[in-house]
Amino acid sequence: MADKSLPLVIARGKSEIGILPKMANRDGLIAGATGTGKTVTLRVMAEHFSGIGVPVFMADVKGDLSGLPYPGGEHPKVAERAKKLGLSTFSPQGYPVAFWDVFGEQGHPVRTTVSETGPLLLSRILNLNSELRPLLCV
Ligand SMILES: Nc1ncnc2c1ncn2[C@@H]1O[C@H](COP(=O)(O)OP(=O)(O)O)[C@@H](O)[C@H]1O
Ligand SMILES: [Mg+2]
């Protein structure tokens, strides 16, 4: 397992940009136009956290991150990019993932109890439109 005191490098240009694991519970925002690398940045962060034993919860509505359990392929573009960034030890790797699914069809069913939900969230669920309500109520 990687050293938890070292920065988790998430970008590399002229210099490296990383997150110190002990500061990672602060607020953060990844912003940018479509195609600028927001999803990949998020995935790299999740992989790094997984690598140091920190569980990550991600709400991934579009399934952009669902390939996390599988190591990436040997695409020439990836090899070229790794070489350009000087990642001499780079090798594709998969990470342990548990899928949750509100429908309970393609993953672990999402369940809770009325008492754990609490009055505030329960009242918000009951105010949702009628299509979503049956999915979210227990
Ligand atoms: N650091 C990077 N180096 C090389 N290619 C990248 C990098 N980050 C993203 N990409 C590529 O750019 C494209 C868009 O990235 P993505 O993370 O999906 O963008 P966004 O979520 O901001 O729309 C993808 O094809 C991805 O492979
Ligand atoms: Mg994206």
Side-chain angles (χ1 to χ4, degrees):
M1 195 171 285
D3 186 341
K4 290 184 186 177
S5 63
L6 297 175
L8 306 175
V9 177
I10 55 169
R12 181 176 301 179
K14 286 181 186 150
S15 57
E16 290 183 340
I17 299 172
I19 297 176
L20 293 171
K22 68 177 182 183
M23 306 291 273
N25 62 346
R26 309 292 170 91
D27 294 338
L29 172 72
I30 303 172
T34 301
T36 50
K38 300 180 297 295
T39 300
V40 170
T41 302
L42 192 62
R43 199 184 73 205
V44 169
M45 286 171 64
E47 289 175 352
H48 280 322
F49 284 126
S50 177
I52 59 170
V54 177
V56 178
F57 176 86
M58 295 192 288
D60 181 23
V61 177
K62 292 189 289 177
D64 288 347
L65 302 162
S66 59
L68 264 172
Y70 304 104
E74 299 284 327
H75 197 281
K77 287 276 180 199
V78 175
E80 184 190 319
R81 182 75 173 154
K83 192 175 170 197
K84 189 178 173 190
L85 292 174
L87 304 173
S88 54
T89 57
F90 175 79
S91 68
Q93 190 185 334
Y95 291 82
V97 173
F99 289 97
W100 289 1
D101 178 10
V102 286
F103 299 101
E105 289 167 1
Q106 295 185 24
H108 192 69
V110 181
R111 292 208 176 107
T112 187
T113 61
V114 171
S115 51
E116 276 175 352
T117 305
L120 187 61
L121 185 55
L122 193 59
S123 67
R124 291 182 65 180
I125 289 170
L126 294 172
N127 277 329
L128 286 175
N129 72 45
S130 57
E131 272 177 32
L132 285 175
R133 210 178 299 145
L135 297 176
L136 295 173
C137 290
V138 285

